[in-house]
Amino acid sequence: MKLNMGLVFVAMVILGNELQGCHCKIVQFIFGDSLSDVGNNRYLSRSLAQASLPWYGIDFGNGLPNGRFSNGRTVADIIGDKMGLPRPPAFLDPSLTEDVILDNGVNYASGGGGILNETGTYFIQRFSLYKQIELFQGTQVLIRNKIGKKAAEEFFQGARYVIALGSNDFINNYLMPVYRDSWTYNDKTFVEYLMTTLGDQIKILHSLGARQLMVFGLGPMGCIPLQRVLSTSGNCQEKTNNLAKSFNKAVSKLVDDLVAQLPNSSYRFGDAYDVVDDVISNPSKYGFQNSDSPCCSFGRIRPALTCLPASSLCKDRSKYVFWDEYHPTDSANELIANELIKKFGFLRGDQTNAPSPAPALAPSPED
């Protein structure tokens, strides 16, 4: 759970409405962490990584918690809406059926999840990337049984794939001395460990039909409120930011190498570091007033780690970059999504009936 601006993306280049042969929609399959989670963790009853209490979701739909770790939409929601795409439901959503999958795809993202299986163990329950891929394999069985092997192959090869993880592997693993990885590796060898693991995971997805995939990098995770409050100065932690930059550089090379190795692969790396860093460094330039503390906080008790019903909210949520100690607000997510759409030249698909954008900010509890 943290600012992995990777999530920043999850929707992306969509080229059409149907796949030749099976006449299926082009959908997305999303693999990620809390920045992309749309409700999986709310069905993991023992998970400590939860967004199931007020005031999460206060500016989304009916204003009730919906599993998103924000007051409103994720970056993925926003990009998908602007591209005219349906929002992929959470894998654990009880209403998920084969028909829903064929129309909307699936989101496997899980708060606290990481590239490594050992990441985030103190959250008790969460889906690591390996687990998310395993769940995707189960999804493939369902679809093959529904539409047949050949049509299913066309469906999955025509789908878009998003991988947006990595922050937890640092913040909720390597940078915490309670984890073995923190003393087993140094900065360089830990990033290498992540790349070896991620490379194997992407190769598995390729064997399962993933031909068009975007892997997203990390934002300046040393600048999230949690990292600032744990520092002695209250400033961004440069060591953490440097790890994010090293990760991004390594992932970019990994993606290029895999494209050269894997047949018919169209893989891209999405780097949002500079965009997010500029928003945090120059908030007023983008219409924000605060980029260093959470809108939802428990008075002077920090870090509160999560937003609670007893927490107090900032007066104007549209002026805050961060919602809680880890995650951006709806307004920040919208700005990031718009910047990324411009940066990568995403084009709107011709699919219809995409979800409407979130409503205007709801009144604060004290208003």
Side-chain angles (χ1 to χ4, degrees):
M1 326 171 24
K2 77 273 78 258
L3 188 60
N4 152 337
M5 267 6 240
L7 142 142
V8 143
F9 300 108
V10 37
M12 43 241 141
V13 191
I14 298 300
L15 302 177
N17 195 18
E18 296 185 341
L19 297 178
Q20 193 172 24
C22 72
H23 301 291
C24 300
K25 288 182 177 179
I26 293 177
V27 300
Q28 300 175 91
F29 292 99
I30 299 168
F31 305 87
D33 53 26
S34 59
L35 289 170
S36 307
D37 192 346
V38 295
N40 281 309
N41 277 30
R42 69 190 301 197
Y43 299 108
L44 297 177
S45 60
R46 293 186 291 114
S47 177
L48 299 181
Q50 291 288 346
S52 56
L53 296 172
W55 306 101
Y56 288 102
I58 186 174
D59 299 310
F60 186 106
N62 59 10
L64 299 176
N66 54 64
R68 288 168 173 80
F69 289 76
S70 175
N71 62 309
R73 301 159 293 172
T74 67
V75 172
D77 289 327
I78 297 165
I79 294 179
D81 288 349
K82 291 178 181 292
M83 297 302 97
L85 301 171
R87 294 174 182 162
F91 172 81
L92 292 180
D93 189 322
S95 65
L96 189 72
T97 64
E98 292 91 332
D99 288 335
V100 171
I101 294 169
L102 289 167
D103 281 342
N104 301 280
V106 183
N107 184 321
Y108 303 93
S110 174
I115 293 169
L116 305 175
N117 286 336
E118 61 264 33
T119 290
T121 52
Y122 70 82
F123 291 124
I124 312 299
Q125 282 185 303
R126 76 274 176 245
F127 293 153
S128 67
L129 182 51
Y130 269 124
K131 181 61 178 180
Q132 293 179 37
I133 293 172
E134 179 185 325
L135 298 176
F136 174 63
Q137 290 175 300
T139 299
Q140 290 197 315
V141 172
L142 292 175
I143 297 303
R144 280 197 296 269
N145 291 339
K146 174 75 173 181
I147 65 176
K149 183 177 179 179
K150 185 177 186 300
E153 182 177 315
E154 294 177 359
F155 172 65
F156 288 111
Q157 288 191 5
R160 303 318 190 235
Y161 297 80
V162 179
I163 294 179
L165 301 95
S167 291
N168 282 314
D169 293 292
F170 293 102
I171 293 176
N172 292 309
N173 182 351
Y174 179 66
L175 293 173
M176 300 184 69
V178 296
Y179 283 93
R180 181 178 179 180
D181 287 349
S182 69
W183 68 81
T184 303
Y185 301 94
N186 58 37
D187 293 358
K188 180 176 183 293
T189 58
F190 185 69
V191 171
E192 291 172 349
Y193 175 34
L194 286 175
M195 293 307 103
T196 298
T197 306
L198 181 59
D200 290 342
Q201 292 163 331
I202 293 175
K203 289 175 183 177
I204 293 173
L205 285 173
H206 182 271
S207 73
L208 297 172
R211 297 294 180 264
Q212 301 201 46
L213 178 146
M214 299 239 352
V215 183
F216 294 108
L218 306 180
M221 58 188 183
C223 294
I224 66 173
L226 176 69
Q227 288 286 297
R228 286 180 183 267
V229 77
L230 293 179
S231 71
T232 56
S233 64
N235 296 324
C236 298
Q237 298 208 33
E238 287 309 308
K239 171 183 171 64
T240 309
N241 282 346
N242 288 335
L243 286 170
K245 293 176 184 177
S246 296
F247 177 89
N248 290 348
K249 182 178 179 180
V251 174
S252 179
K253 182 180 185 303
L254 174 66
V255 171
D256 288 343
D257 291 344
L258 289 173
V259 169
Q261 297 173 25
L262 303 176
N264 302 315
S265 60
S266 177
Y267 296 169
R268 297 176 64 191
F269 169 65
D271 186 358
Y273 188 97
D274 291 342
V275 173
V276 180
D277 184 56
D278 198 36
V279 173
I280 293 173
S281 301
N282 304 288
S284 60
K285 173 182 173 182
Y286 297 91
F288 293 101
Q289 296 175 352
N290 186 304
S291 64
D292 58 16
S293 56
C295 171
C296 184
S297 62
F298 202 65
R300 295 184 179 180
I301 301 176
R302 293 193 58 204
L305 300 184
T306 187
C307 183
L308 301 167
S311 298
S312 59
L313 303 185
C314 59
K315 187 172 182 180
D316 187 348
R317 295 186 288 282
S318 70
K319 301 299 182 182
Y320 272 65
V321 173
F322 290 97
W323 167 245
D324 60 15
E325 299 283 2
Y326 297 91
H327 309 97
T329 58
D330 179 276
S331 295
N333 281 338
E334 181 161 29
L335 185 150
I336 293 164
N338 288 338
E339 289 295 318
L340 290 168
I341 288 172
K342 288 192 295 183
K343 182 176 182 179
F344 292 97
F346 294 153
L347 301 175
R348 182 178 178 87
D350 59 2
Q351 301 195 55
T352 58
N353 300 319
S356 298
L361 294 181
S364 294
E366 66 275 14
D367 289 353

